[in-house]
Amino acid sequence: MAEFDVVVVGGGPGGSTAAGLVAADGHRVLLLEREHLPRYRIGESLLPATVHGICALLGVRDEIERAGFVRKRGGMFRWGSDPEPWTFAFAASDRMAGPTSYAYQVERTRFDTILLRNAARLGADVREGHRVLGTVSGGGRITGVRYLDEGGRERTATARFVVDASGHTSRLHHDVGGNREYSPDFRNLALFGYFLDGARLPEPDAGNILCAAFDAGWFWYIPLSAGLTSVGAVVRQECASRVQGGLEAAYRGLIADCPLIDDLLRDARRATEPPYDRLRVRKDYSYDRTRLHCPGMVLVGDAACFIDPVFSSGVHLATYSALLAARSINSTLAGLVPEDRCFAEFEDRYRREFGLFRDFLLGFYRLRADQRSYFRHAHQVTGRGGDDATAFADLVGGVASTGFDTFGDVLAEGAQLQLRGLLGEAAGDEAPLFPGGLVSTVDGRRWRVPDA
């Protein structure tokens, strides 16, 4: 048996973020990852709030910049009633103008490894090839985990807090209580693979994501390097029978049904080198949980919630929830703010962040509208001042408006994170997101009660 302040389960972006920020605050952190990195994960498109906000707080933004990932300035949509594709740019938002008006398309094999190695540099005890079996409890709270080490021996690690960042297949999420509730609105199936030498959008948008709707659902088209492209069909539940049986024939048929994607792949060929050499299927069933934490344990990333991937929110929500959890843990361990108040702030902020994507997506899928209507819908959901195009860019960039007097103050943390990432302490004090709520310290790692 070994004692720690925090045990983090899972070495993806959420787990590495939580472990790094807690270890950097001087606490004993054990991170247990079932596999050995680098390893494959779906999900390659980032938002500016992750790159310029959370990666800056982790001290890894410069390494991300040097990694040579494809720069993403926005996106293109063939969606709704517009016969021609339409675009958005992060630079349309005054909160992302200039040096923070882009993100990256990343190979998760490389990106996740960078974050995990950084967590170790910040002081976390990172152990790969260790599979967590379950939690340990006592005195009305979670007190640690049981796990198998690389030799297959069962071990126990005790801790003040356990962070479950083990993804949608988590074995632990039930232990916080409550239920996982699946959305009736987003029950899709994704069939995806990788191509070499696919065409690119015209400059300066060659690195942007393309989302193209067709009769059975929609496609993503994500350039990962000069030659490699991720191509996935997200198929509606009523069309899921098209994915059953032979995947190769189904994939070719779906591509043929979407002329824009078919044309971009005219001179392309399927990738043949692992891990990009095979087709994969994933159920993109969106879900939420009635509880996200209990005494001694908190859920982050896909262990807590998942939302449809059309706006590339997966890594953003994982790292954002991990940041909120780390602040709550650090503040509790330091005795600065009571545990229940810290995790109430965590839950309020995370649910509102997740809720904005969900509420906007409901309209985005249901509206058979034009570009202006989607931009206007973003404006209505976010409550953002200014014009409709700015509201849309704020939403899909992860930096929607601040303030707590309108429904849409949900992605405010992204704007504050980017500002603090650029200016550090010079960014000044932030306002609470909720009446009577907490604010972060200048280093972004703890909560504090705001000054009167």
Side-chain angles (χ1 to χ4, degrees):
M1 182 177 294
E3 295 183 1
F4 295 87
D5 296 311
V6 179
V7 174
V8 177
V9 183
S16 294
T17 297
L21 291 173
V22 175
D25 216 46
H27 304 298
R28 297 167 299 164
V29 179
L30 172 65
L31 187 153
L32 300 172
E33 164 56 42
R34 180 179 59 186
E35 300 178 74
H36 287 270
L37 273 67
R39 49 93 177 102
Y40 174 83
R41 283 292 183 274
I42 184 177
E44 301 101 352
S45 197
L46 304 185
L47 301 186
T50 300
V51 175
H52 305 291
I54 293 171
C55 287
L57 291 178
L58 289 168
V60 76
R61 182 176 57 184
D62 290 346
E63 186 174 355
I64 299 295
E65 296 274 357
R66 293 192 301 268
F69 295 125
V70 172
R71 186 168 289 201
K72 169 187 173 183
R73 302 180 185 276
M76 176 179 286
F77 286 89
R78 167 59 188 93
W79 203 280
S81 61
D82 280 331
E84 298 298 323
W86 46 273
T87 63
F88 77 91
F90 295 129
S93 166
D94 55 2
R95 286 169 168 78
M96 292 180 289
T100 62
S101 61
Y102 63 90
Y104 290 108
Q105 318 284 17
V106 300
E107 296 177 70
R108 288 283 302 277
T109 52
R110 297 169 56 206
F111 178 74
D112 290 14
T113 302
I114 290 172
L115 292 190
L116 186 68
R117 302 293 177 255
N118 185 66
R121 285 196 297 269
L122 291 173
D125 181 350
V126 174
R127 302 183 191 179
E128 299 171 64
H130 287 59
R131 182 165 65 91
V132 173
L133 302 174
T135 61
V136 178
S137 61
R141 62 185 295 123
I142 303 295
T143 59
V145 300
R146 297 179 297 107
Y147 66 94
L148 296 180
D149 64 18
E150 285 192 286
R153 296 176 293 273
E154 184 170 333
R155 307 285 192 183
T156 299
T158 62
R160 288 279 304 278
F161 290 98
V162 172
V163 178
D164 182 10
S166 57
H168 71 284
T169 60
S170 165
R171 294 175 169 219
L172 309 181
H173 69 93
H174 298 288
D175 293 353
V176 302
N179 301 297
R180 178 178 282 185
E181 297 183 338
Y182 287 87
S183 169
D185 299 293
F186 309 111
R187 298 180 71 84
N188 304 319
L189 196 68
L191 172 60
F192 56 99
Y194 298 84
F195 283 83
L196 299 176
D197 300 327
R200 294 289 178 259
L201 301 176
E203 292 290 357
D205 300 324
N208 287 1
I209 187 173
L210 166 65
C211 296
F214 70 116
D215 288 344
W218 61 275
F219 268 94
W220 74 68
Y221 191 91
I222 302 174
L224 295 179
S225 68
L228 183 66
T229 306
S230 171
V231 181
V234 180
V235 180
R236 299 192 309 273
Q237 186 179 29
E238 57 268 30
C239 300
S241 60
R242 294 194 58 178
V243 181
Q244 296 173 0
L247 296 184
E248 291 287 348
Y251 195 49
R252 289 194 299 269
L254 292 168
I255 290 172
D257 285 352
C258 187
L260 181 55
I261 299 298
D262 195 29
D263 185 60
L264 289 169
L265 295 175
R266 181 182 302 153
D267 299 321
R269 65 189 190 280
R270 286 275 303 284
T272 57
E273 295 294 327
Y276 303 119
D277 58 333
R278 65 185 183 92
L279 296 178
R280 292 177 168 89
V281 176
R282 171 156 176 188
K283 293 180 179 179
D284 283 327
Y285 286 5
S286 299
Y287 54 83
D288 195 355
R289 282 197 55 85
T290 57
R291 293 190 66 178
L292 301 178
H293 63 91
C294 69
M297 183 171 169
V298 61
L299 310 179
V300 303
D302 288 358
C305 310
F306 177 80
I307 194 66
D308 183 276
V310 68
F311 288 127
S312 310
S313 58
V315 173
H316 169 66
L317 288 171
T319 55
Y320 176 70
S321 59
L323 167 68
L324 300 179
R327 286 176 176 172
S328 301
I329 290 169
N330 288 338
S331 303
T332 302
L333 292 177
L336 298 176
V337 185
E339 180 177 341
D340 57 350
R341 188 172 182 187
C342 287
F343 283 95
E345 188 76 24
F346 158 85
E347 180 148 352
D348 287 345
R349 291 194 181 221
Y350 188 23
R351 287 199 183 280
R352 295 185 72 160
E353 188 90 354
F354 179 84
L356 179 63
F357 280 102
R358 179 197 60 220
D359 294 339
F360 181 73
L361 279 167
L362 285 171
F364 196 73
Y365 269 101
R366 290 172 180 171
L367 289 173
R368 293 293 298 171
D370 59 12
Q371 172 187 356
R372 288 179 297 177
S373 298
Y374 292 124
F375 283 14
R376 186 165 57 250
H377 180 54
H379 204 164
Q380 293 167 348
V381 169
T382 63
R384 171 79 158 95
D387 59 38
D388 295 344
T390 298
F392 186 90
D394 282 351
L395 191 152
V396 299
V399 295
S401 60
T402 58
F404 48 76
D405 55 344
T406 62
F407 168 74
D409 330 316
V410 189
L411 292 158
E413 188 71 30
Q416 182 65 31
L417 284 173
Q418 292 192 157
L419 185 64
R420 198 163 296 284
L422 286 172
L423 302 179
E425 294 187 14
D429 291 336
E430 64 175 291
L433 187 58
F434 309 100
L438 303 173
V439 297
S440 72
T441 54
V442 292
D443 60 10
R445 296 201 298 259
R446 298 179 179 180
W447 298 120
R448 67 176 181 83
V449 178
D451 299 330

